Amino acid sequence: MNKRTLRNNLSGVAFVTPSLICLIVFMIIPICKGLYFAFTEYNGNIGPNWVGLKNFAKALEDVGVRAALWNTVKFVLLSVPITTGVSLALASLIAMNFRNRFGALTRSILFIPVVCSNAIVASIWYNMLNGSPDAVVNAVLSWFGIDPVQWLGDPSTAFAAVAFVTIWKGIGYYLVIFYAAIMDVPNSHLEAADLDGASKLQQFFHIILPAVKPVTYTVITLNTINSFGIFDICYAMTAGGPGCATTTLLHRIYVEGFRSYKFGYASAIAMIMLVLVLVLTLVEKRVFDRDD
């Protein structure tokens, strides 16, 4: 190995090392410690005492955990298709028809919720959706003779309200990803299709959609992971209520770990969630690979 090759290798190692250290310290080690704590009984003062699979068995029998799991799965099944579909449709509409200042302004406006903190977004929507007749949403409904609705106080509407806010906040982020992918599609393909008489809808399904398929897989994977991690907006808007209507797995982990100080039990729930995320992302990869 000559000096130039050695220098290049050392430069590569120097660039990678800081990120690798952060990955090990802030991700790999916490995951390994969490896996260990999942098999123990630990409250921060006493223990950890090894209990084997007891925490996992308890979690599977816990009604609260099962309700949180069902809410999380419902949110993933609702959020992933809607967010992906709407962001792709909007990105295609802007890229195919508004490659101008209006399109740039639209993208910027749709991206504003992404850069706002979840606490601010939750606070704004909480005031818009509370059950008061003077709240923005109920005030608008009153124009049509509709009585005030307890959007966040009724179990039948609370979940939908929180899901709507979370989906609305995330659309701009995935829109930008899709827009960048669509802009990489050769314009000559679209011009040729236009000359052949293909409509915008046909161009979307036969040119753009196949071209952005790898990006679509990435967006779906990111969206799935982010959907499993829903917590702060739910907590700020409803605190998991009413009842368990908006309690998610991450909220349950927070309650068990940082309120009840059952760190071993909370770690077990976290490991269950980690396995679910891994399984679902592998299934998504298998589906996309099979389509190829």
Side-chain angles (χ1 to χ4, degrees):
M1 182 182 297
N2 56 42
K3 292 184 178 180
R4 184 175 181 180
T5 303
L6 179 61
R7 189 183 305 112
N8 289 337
N9 290 340
L10 291 176
S11 298
V13 171
F15 280 113
V16 170
T17 298
S19 298
L20 184 60
I21 292 173
C22 291
L23 180 67
I24 293 173
V25 172
F26 296 108
M27 291 191 67
I28 304 300
I29 292 177
I31 290 175
C32 292
K33 291 189 70 175
L35 181 61
Y36 168 69
F37 286 142
F39 294 94
T40 66
E41 187 174 315
Y42 180 49
N43 64 5
N45 293 319
I46 302 174
N49 300 315
W50 186 266
V51 294
L53 297 174
K54 179 181 176 181
N55 288 329
F56 293 95
K58 180 181 176 182
L60 295 176
E61 296 175 356
D62 191 330
V63 176
V65 172
R66 284 188 288 183
L69 173 61
W70 174 236
N71 287 337
T72 304
V73 171
K74 278 196 304 182
F75 180 75
V76 171
L77 296 176
L78 184 68
S79 171
V80 173
I82 293 177
T83 308
T84 304
V86 172
S87 57
L88 175 58
L90 289 174
S92 302
L93 181 65
I94 295 171
M96 296 175 70
N97 298 284
F98 302 105
R99 296 192 181 189
N100 49 31
R101 290 183 178 179
F102 175 77
L105 177 63
T106 303
R107 293 199 314 274
S108 300
I109 292 173
L110 292 173
F111 197 75
I112 289 175
V114 179
V115 299
C116 293
S117 73
N118 288 339
I120 292 175
V121 169
S123 177
I124 292 172
W125 278 100
Y126 174 81
N127 288 292
M128 293 176 64
L129 291 170
N130 68 55
S132 170
D134 297 328
V136 174
V137 176
N138 282 334
V140 173
L141 291 177
S142 68
W143 300 345
F144 303 95
I146 301 175
D147 294 332
V149 178
Q150 295 290 334
W151 297 103
L152 302 177
D154 188 338
S156 62
T157 57
F159 179 84
V162 172
F164 169 78
V165 173
T166 308
I167 292 170
W168 168 82
K169 187 180 188 303
I171 284 175
Y173 175 71
Y174 302 112
L175 182 150
V176 170
I177 296 176
F178 275 126
Y179 183 83
I182 294 171
M183 293 300 288
D184 283 339
V185 177
N187 201 39
S188 57
H189 294 181
L190 298 176
E191 291 175 352
D194 194 44
L195 290 174
D196 289 337
S199 65
K200 294 291 186 182
L201 197 60
Q202 290 173 324
Q203 293 176 33
F204 171 77
F205 281 106
H206 296 287
I207 298 176
I208 291 179
L209 200 57
V212 302
K213 185 178 178 180
V215 176
T216 304
Y217 166 70
T218 301
V219 167
I220 289 176
T221 302
L222 289 173
N223 203 351
T224 300
I225 296 171
N226 291 335
S227 296
F228 267 97
I230 179 176
F231 167 68
D232 40 9
I233 290 180
C234 285
Y235 186 77
M237 292 182 68
T238 63
C244 295
T246 58
T247 300
T248 61
L249 278 177
L250 204 57
H251 182 265
R252 192 70 186 180
I253 292 169
Y254 165 76
V255 170
E256 297 293 345
F258 296 99
R259 285 192 175 179
S260 302
Y261 300 102
K262 299 176 182 177
F263 297 116
Y265 186 47
S267 297
I269 301 173
M271 290 302 112
I272 292 173
M273 187 175 75
L274 176 62
V275 170
L276 288 174
V277 173
L278 290 175
V279 169
L280 196 52
T281 52
L282 288 175
V283 169
E284 291 169 352
K285 185 177 187 304
R286 186 71 177 270
V287 170
F288 274 82
D289 289 344
R290 184 180 61 186
D291 289 344
D292 289 337

